Amino acid sequence: MPRQLVAGNGKILVNIDQHLQIRDIYYPYVGQQNHVQGHANRVGIWSDGHFSWLSSGAWDIHTDYHKDSLVTCCTAENKQMGIRLVFEDGVHQRENMFLRRIKVTNTSNKEKKIRLFFHQDLNIYETEVGDTAYFAPDSQSLIHYKKNRYFLFNALFGEQGISQYTTGIKRFQSAEGTWKDAEDGALHINPIAQGSVDSTFSVEHEIGGQESVDAFYWMTIGRNREEVLALNEYIKEIGPSLTLDKIMIYWRRWANKSTLAETDLEEEIITLYKRSLLVVRTQTNENGYIMAANDSDIQQYNRDHYSYMWPRDGALVAAAIAKAGYQGMVKNFYRRCADVLTKEGFLHHKYNPDGSIGSSWHPTVGNDGKKQLPIQEDETALVLWAFWEHYKETGDIEFAQSLYRSLVRPGARFLLQFMNEGLDLPKPSYDLWEERRGIFTFTCSAVYGGLIAAHSFALLFGEDDRAARYKAGAERIKKGMETHLYDPESGRFLRGIYVDEDNGEITKDYTIESSMYGLFAFGVFSADDDRVRSTMEAIERELYIKTPIGGVARYFNDYYFQQTHEVEKVPGNPWLICTLWLAKWKIAAAADRHDLKQCREYMHWVVSHAFSSGVLPEQLHPFSGEPLSVAPLTWSHATFVDVVVDYIQAYERLE
């Protein structure tokens, strides 16, 4: 179940589903220590002897955000009960607290007593074992804790606080959880429970016919009881309504801190552009690690998740965000890459947000039993490329100098050494999709871009000899690509080649592959080079999905979440990033503003497949258009930002 709504501040991340239920709470890192593990934290309503959970199917729910803000604006209406709710949720930009304002409207003509029930289902430290939940009378709140993780929950309905509460056992033996106790509209008070526990509490208010009253629900998070109590007092002193208003103002000003040049881009594209910036902000740790995605339901597919920093994703996201003018947000990303770079000068497959190495499926020995590096070389190269893009946007020479010796030079040294001398190409490594090992066009393009970036840094710092070596290495790779990766017979570039290490025999991989956009994106060739043009046209022709859904697949016969074997019609599921790469090429190759028209069509395609909240998934079902895999995918949002900025710059340049 992809996440419709996200709210965070770089230290905590709260994910909310289409039923307005909290499904993930990450702390103290975005992407690490999910204290909910995807379980539904329910919201229920009782009135006139009737009870209904928002997830019951009886509610008409619409999810969205306030314009240009990270505060949600969602509606839920149950016509049978005569109740309409407006939810506004947000995470404070600085403090570890989540607030929810609910405008409760009695749509009938008679006065009603309405009770709101809030259910908390936590797995603190990602396990149900050893939690405690208790009612704290001094603060009139519910507190869940284990070791150094505390979560305080509180609420108001009008001026009235918690009226009923209970704690109990969940998912153990025959116990379902305290949420079941709420379904008769009354809770049997139990002040404390330990083990595998949850809690439920209610607030209530009399509301006249056709009248509205605001209710508030909030959560504070800390490392001890004193921290969560202090934040609770902060909210009560300022008031939850004013606190949420301040959160909304902050994020709106953050999203509009720079003015976009006038173009012919429609408002819906600009709106999604700003939404994408905000979503990427929620997926970026304060310490710099940029998470790929944090939708925990993906664990049901492969018992792992996307809550890692892939240097590849991180570099492409950081470059796009810097280009949009938010360089400060991603500055720490490069510091963290320097921290985790190995002494040999390469980056591992992926990392946890605390800097430890993430899980991997890249083996250290090949099928022949010989030792091999379990890496994707493009990840190291792209960080160097993105770092130079960052410098071009900022001109921050002191920051560049601070990482030149610890990041740029060792990374470039590795790229130069990790070469097949006979082919003038990098040695085999895993492709950007992490599926196959060989020498690939995308990887070679990224390595070229990384070495040119290192060359530029070396020139900046007066190391002309070193700069010449980096430049020579890049030119060797370009020559090797022209010799071995361009196929004159087909008139386009290959996905890659595979070299038999025993006899040197080369096997060509003709699979049409969307990632070959890297040929122009990282500066190896110009976008209007005939060889690039024929390659990109083949991608558009052969990878476009021939259903009403449309979009571009990763490559021909893509097996990941594959929905059909009619590969001539559906070569793979449509991916948002792959569709946007095609738009990126059309922008780069445009000769005048008229040529930009089709680029806008691809951007509108992305807008049409965003959730009502503006959240973008990784990929779509090729027949229904439903989201597949995770949502939001940080890479999808950053690529949309990247293409919009490209468009704006091209529009200004062209006539």
Side-chain angles (χ1 to χ4, degrees):
M1 186 183 294
R3 303 303 184 239
Q4 292 273 343
L5 302 156
V6 293
N9 63 9
K11 294 176 290 186
I12 66 173
L13 173 68
V14 178
N15 291 341
I16 300 168
D17 69 15
Q18 73 266 38
H19 303 302
L20 308 182
Q21 302 173 130
I22 293 174
R23 295 288 301 279
D24 303 294
I25 300 172
Y26 292 93
Y27 168 81
Y29 300 103
V30 175
Q32 189 166 323
Q33 294 184 23
N34 182 355
H35 303 284
V36 174
Q37 291 283 285
H39 295 294
N41 285 243
R42 297 168 171 83
V43 179
I45 294 85
W46 176 92
S47 179
D48 291 339
H50 299 286
F51 181 90
S52 179
W53 295 111
L54 289 185
S55 58
S56 66
W59 294 81
D60 182 14
I61 299 176
H62 176 78
T63 59
D64 203 349
Y65 287 89
H66 281 287
K67 182 177 174 62
D68 301 346
S69 181
L70 271 177
V71 174
T72 70
C73 184
C74 306
T75 58
E77 185 167 10
N78 187 319
K79 292 184 178 179
Q80 184 176 2
M81 293 184 73
I83 296 174
R84 185 174 187 270
L85 310 172
V86 177
F87 283 72
E88 298 171 285
D89 303 334
V91 166
H92 195 278
Q93 64 272 16
R94 183 185 66 254
E95 306 293 348
N96 294 327
M97 50 194 184
F98 167 86
L99 292 96
R100 167 171 273 179
R101 177 165 52 204
I102 309 173
K103 181 180 180 181
V104 183
T105 301
N106 175 4
T107 60
S108 72
N109 294 318
K110 66 173 185 176
E111 185 177 72
K112 292 183 177 183
K113 175 180 283 189
I114 297 176
R115 290 183 190 144
L116 303 179
F117 286 83
F118 300 101
H119 167 239
Q120 292 71 228
D121 185 349
L122 272 61
N123 290 4
I124 302 176
Y125 284 108
E126 303 188 345
T127 174
E128 298 176 338
V129 177
D131 287 4
T132 299
Y134 72 96
F135 180 74
D138 291 345
S139 59
Q140 291 291 295
S141 65
L142 266 292
I143 294 177
H144 289 234
Y145 76 90
K146 179 162 60 191
K147 297 181 183 178
N148 298 318
R149 300 288 179 266
Y150 279 71
F151 301 82
L152 179 150
F153 301 91
N154 210 340
L156 288 172
F157 200 167
E159 299 299 322
Q160 302 173 47
I162 293 174
S163 58
Q164 301 179 62
Y165 63 85
T166 192
T167 65
I169 303 300
K170 68 183 181 190
R171 292 189 295 277
F172 182 70
Q173 295 181 348
S174 60
E176 294 183 77
T178 58
W179 59 274
K180 289 293 291 184
D181 188 24
E183 292 182 342
D184 61 358
L187 296 172
H188 298 83
I189 292 176
N190 183 33
I192 191 167
Q194 62 86 30
S196 176
V197 300
D198 67 347
S199 68
T200 303
F201 64 80
S202 68
V203 289
E204 62 184 56
H205 204 286
E206 299 273 355
I207 303 180
Q210 303 298 325
E211 293 183 357
S212 302
V213 175
D214 285 345
F216 298 91
Y217 171 85
W218 65 88
M219 167 182 66
T220 67
I221 307 176
R223 298 177 185 273
N224 54 55
R225 181 173 175 271
E226 289 68 29
E227 286 185 11
V228 296
L229 287 172
L231 290 173
N232 181 57
E233 289 304 312
Y234 174 96
I235 294 171
K236 291 168 70 175
E237 180 179 346
I238 296 176
S241 187
L242 180 57
T243 303
L244 192 61
D245 289 343
K246 289 181 176 181
I247 293 170
M248 188 184 312
I249 290 169
Y250 174 84
W251 288 119
R252 187 166 287 159
R253 289 178 178 168
W254 184 93
N256 290 284
K257 77 181 187 73
S258 56
T259 302
L260 297 176
E262 289 292 328
T263 67
D264 60 353
L265 288 176
E266 292 83 356
E267 180 63 25
E268 62 180 6
I269 291 176
I270 300 301
T271 296
L272 184 56
Y273 168 81
K274 293 178 181 179
R275 173 62 48 217
S276 292
L277 286 168
L278 288 161
V279 170
V280 173
R281 176 65 180 84
T282 69
Q283 309 299 302
T284 302
N285 273 281
E286 190 176 62
N287 65 9
Y289 287 106
I290 300 170
M291 298 292 99
N294 292 290
D295 175 355
S296 65
D297 278 4
I298 191 66
Q299 294 177 90
Q300 299 172 17
Y301 177 75
N302 62 3
R303 303 309 296 164
D304 206 344
H305 48 72
Y306 277 42
S307 294
Y308 297 106
M309 189 277 282
W310 274 265
R312 171 205 61 231
D313 294 41
L316 294 170
V317 170
I321 295 305
K323 192 160 70 173
Y326 291 80
Q327 299 89 1
M329 173 178 147
V330 295
K331 198 171 182 178
N332 280 340
F333 167 75
Y334 299 103
R335 292 190 174 109
R336 300 293 81 78
C337 288
D339 289 345
V340 299
L341 194 73
T342 65
K343 67 180 188 301
E344 295 86 359
F346 64 83
L347 291 164
H348 284 288
H349 183 184
K350 51 192 167 88
Y351 296 87
N352 295 303
D354 62 1
S356 57
I357 296 174
S359 62
S360 181
W361 50 88
H362 295 337
T364 54
V365 293
N367 294 331
D368 56 5
K370 294 180 181 178
K371 181 180 177 181
Q372 64 183 32
L373 277 181
I375 66 167
Q376 299 159 228
E377 190 186 8
D378 63 78
E379 298 204 282
T380 303
L382 286 172
V383 170
L384 301 190
W385 169 82
F387 190 34
W388 179 251
E389 296 300 303
H390 185 93
Y391 173 75
K392 288 195 299 184
E393 295 295 333
T394 64
D396 189 345
I397 194 168
E398 291 184 359
F399 180 54
Q401 177 64 51
S402 72
L403 297 179
Y404 178 60
R405 291 179 63 88
S406 59
L407 177 62
V408 177
R409 279 174 45 177
R413 182 180 65 246
F414 173 76
L415 298 181
L416 282 179
Q417 293 174 350
F418 197 67
M419 291 283 289
N420 183 312
E421 299 297 334
L423 298 177
D424 288 333
L425 291 172
K427 290 180 180 178
S429 68
Y430 284 89
D431 69 343
L432 83 158
W433 307 126
E434 309 154 72
E435 295 174 345
R436 56 195 60 82
R437 187 170 180 271
I439 301 172
F440 302 103
T441 293
F442 179 87
T443 304
C444 295
S445 300
V447 173
Y448 176 92
L451 286 172
I452 291 296
H455 158 78
S456 300
F457 277 120
L459 285 179
L460 179 67
F461 298 123
E463 296 190 345
D464 293 356
D465 289 348
R466 198 182 302 274
R469 291 201 299 274
Y470 297 153
K471 181 70 176 294
E475 292 303 324
R476 279 183 63 198
I477 290 172
K478 182 174 182 178
K479 177 184 174 184
M481 293 175 69
E482 291 176 317
T483 303
H484 300 290
L485 291 173
Y486 179 72
D487 183 64
E489 292 184 15
S490 60
R492 65 170 177 83
F493 281 88
L494 305 169
R495 171 202 262 174
I497 59 174
Y498 308 98
V499 181
D500 189 310
E501 294 185 8
D502 293 326
N503 58 27
E505 182 179 335
I506 294 176
T507 302
K508 296 181 178 182
D509 188 341
Y510 288 91
T511 306
I512 192 67
E513 159 74 72
S514 64
S515 70
M516 290 190 285
Y517 90 102
L519 288 162
F520 72 89
F522 308 127
V524 193
F525 304 102
S526 66
D528 58 2
D529 182 292
D530 288 342
R531 295 165 296 183
V532 173
R533 184 177 295 277
S534 63
T535 301
M536 297 305 296
E537 288 174 347
I539 290 170
E540 185 172 32
R541 183 174 61 253
E542 298 181 38
L543 292 184
Y544 198 82
I545 311 304
K546 300 169 184 65
T547 72
I549 301 304
V552 176
R554 292 195 302 172
Y555 55 83
F556 189 78
N557 199 18
D558 182 1
Y559 69 88
Y560 189 49
F561 281 95
Q562 191 170 39
Q563 301 297 311
T564 179
H565 293 291
E566 297 180 69
V567 292
E568 295 298 330
K569 180 179 180 181
V570 181
N573 298 330
W575 280 53
L576 278 69
I577 58 171
C578 303
T579 308
L580 288 166
W581 289 342
L582 198 56
K584 185 177 179 68
W585 169 67
K586 289 181 180 292
I587 293 169
D592 54 42
R593 288 182 178 177
H594 177 76
D595 291 343
L596 296 175
K597 181 180 179 181
Q598 192 174 8
C599 313
R600 289 204 311 279
E601 292 175 3
Y602 282 124
M603 286 188 271
H604 281 294
W605 179 87
V606 173
V607 170
S608 71
H609 290 290
F611 297 170
S612 60
S613 61
V615 162
L616 297 177
E618 176 184 75
Q619 52 182 299
L620 306 171
H621 193 291
F623 298 106
S624 70
E626 291 297 309
L628 294 174
S629 188
V630 295
L633 182 74
T634 311
W635 198 356
S636 293
H637 284 281
T639 306
F640 190 80
V641 168
D642 181 57
V643 170
V644 170
V645 175
D646 280 355
Y647 186 97
I648 292 171
Q649 292 175 348
Y651 190 88
E652 290 183 299
R653 184 179 69 251
L654 301 172
E655 295 182 359

